Amino acid sequence: MALRDPCRADTPLRRQLARATAARPTALDAFRHARRTFLGGDRVDMQALARTLNVDRATLYRWVGSPEQLLTEILWSLIEPTIKELRKNAGGSAAAGQSPAAAVITGTVRHVIANTGMQRFLDREGDLALRLLTTRATDFETRLTTLVGELLDEEASAGRLKAAIPPEDLPYVLVRIMESYIYLGLITGEHPDPDRAARVINALLPTGT
C-alpha cells in the first residue's frame, strides 16, 4: 500500500488558501490597487489597472465608474479619515488659545499638503484636480463642507467655539479657505503654506471660552 505523503496532505487550510488564490478580483480590489498607485505618486491609469486585475476595461468601468469617479473616491478616502482622526485628538492637539475646531481644520490642511501622492497629482494634473475637488463636477466639496459643518456644530454645542460668521455660511467659507491654501501653487504659483492658512483659520474659529 502506498504511503500518503504528509507534505501533500489535503487540509481545510490548503483548500481555503487555494480558493483565496483563485478568487476573482472585486471592485474593492480595484479601488485598493488604484489607491496604492495614487499614494505612490503615480498616475491612476484605467488600462493599466485592468491589466493588473486581469479584467477587461468594461468590467473595471462597471465597478468603479469613470476615472474621475474613481479618483474622487480615492481623494475622499484620504481626507475623511484624516478629519475623523484629528477630531478624536482635537482637544489635546490644539495649541494655546486655539480652538479644537481650528486644530482639526489646520491639521487637515497640513496633512493634505504633506501627502506626496496628493502633491504629485496636483503637479501633474492640476486642472483635473481643481475640477474634481472644487466644482460641481463631483460631490467632493459638498461632502467636505458637510463634514466640516458637523465638526463646527459639535464644537459650538459643547461651548468650545464662538465664531462671528453665521453657522450656515461658516463651513463653506472654511472649505474655500482650505482650498485656497492647499491649491496655492495652482492658483498663484506660490508654494502651499499651511502656516498662512492656520493664521486665517484660527482667526475665524476662536475658542468659546
Side-chain angles (χ1 to χ4, degrees):
M1 182 176 66
L3 295 176
R4 186 178 183 183
D5 183 354
C7 294
R8 298 180 62 83
D10 187 25
T11 64
L13 173 60
R14 181 164 294 183
R15 289 193 296 272
Q16 289 180 28
L17 289 172
R19 285 197 298 271
T21 302
R24 289 180 57 81
T26 66
L28 187 57
D29 292 319
F31 173 78
R32 287 170 173 164
H33 276 286
R35 192 177 189 272
R36 284 196 294 269
T37 298
F38 182 92
L39 289 174
D42 296 323
R43 183 174 178 272
V44 176
D45 179 84
M46 298 292 274
Q47 185 169 340
L49 181 58
R51 284 198 304 267
T52 298
L53 297 169
N54 196 29
V55 299
D56 57 53
R57 291 182 65 185
T59 298
L60 181 60
Y61 275 77
R62 187 174 68 251
W63 283 348
V64 303
S66 67
E68 290 78 12
Q69 289 172 307
L70 176 57
L71 280 169
T72 299
E73 294 309 315
I74 291 171
L75 293 164
W76 184 249
S77 78
L78 299 177
I79 200 165
E80 182 187 31
T82 296
I83 292 176
K84 289 184 175 180
E85 186 63 29
L86 288 169
R87 285 180 69 173
K88 292 179 183 178
N89 306 310
S93 63
Q98 184 185 44
S99 70
V104 172
I105 301 299
T106 57
T108 300
V109 171
R110 293 184 188 280
H111 275 75
V112 174
I113 290 175
N115 186 284
T116 300
M118 182 66 176
Q119 291 311 307
R120 289 185 180 174
F121 176 52
L122 293 175
D123 291 341
R124 184 180 59 246
E125 302 175 80
D127 290 343
L128 174 61
L130 288 180
R131 184 164 63 83
L132 298 181
L133 296 166
T134 68
T135 76
R136 294 176 61 186
T138 75
D139 64 349
F140 181 91
E141 187 179 71
T142 300
R143 284 195 277 178
L144 180 56
T145 303
T146 299
L147 193 58
V148 170
E150 292 171 356
L151 163 68
L152 300 179
D153 288 344
E154 180 181 300
E155 292 301 308
S157 297
R160 295 187 291 262
L161 176 66
K162 188 176 182 180
I165 297 176
E168 62 269 21
D169 297 325
L170 188 55
Y172 176 76
V173 169
L174 286 167
V175 168
R176 280 302 189 179
I177 289 172
M178 294 168 69
E179 293 169 348
S180 296
Y181 286 99
I182 290 171
Y183 315 132
L184 195 62
L186 297 174
I187 298 170
T188 68
E190 300 174 78
H191 187 73
D193 188 344
D195 291 331
R196 289 174 61 187
R199 288 193 291 270
V200 177
I201 293 166
N202 289 339
L204 289 174
L205 300 177
T207 61
T209 56

